[in-house]
Amino acid sequence: MKAYRLLTEDDTSAFCHKVTEALNKGWALYGSPSYAYDESTGKMRCAQAVTKEADGDYSPDVKLGGL
């Protein structure tokens, strides 16, 4: 199965740590990062898609963060 996640976080080092952790768990970057202003919080937000090949079949019950 090929898994997909979209990692998001405020524009702080926490975002970089979240992406770095995913990369070290075998996820691969997918596309370019995004950067946008979140009017509801008044902060910039970052997003990065990642993918990973995993054993088993896809089900909506799969906990993607645990792969």
Side-chain angles (χ1 to χ4, degrees):
M1 140 177 102
K2 187 165 198 157
Y4 170 91
R5 292 175 65 198
L6 182 64
L7 306 175
T8 62
E9 185 67 53
D10 287 345
D11 182 23
T12 67
S13 64
F15 175 73
C16 294
H17 287 286
K18 186 181 279 190
V19 174
T20 299
E21 179 181 26
L23 293 173
N24 281 280
K25 289 184 176 181
W27 292 84
L29 299 177
Y30 182 82
S32 299
S34 296
Y35 190 64
Y37 181 70
D38 183 344
E39 194 170 318
S40 66
T41 64
K43 297 179 181 178
M44 294 301 290
R45 300 269 305 166
C46 299
Q48 174 64 59
V50 293
T51 60
K52 182 179 185 179
E53 288 293 333
D55 293 333
D57 295 323
Y58 172 74
S59 162
D61 297 329
V62 170
K63 303 293 184 210
L64 297 173
L67 294 178

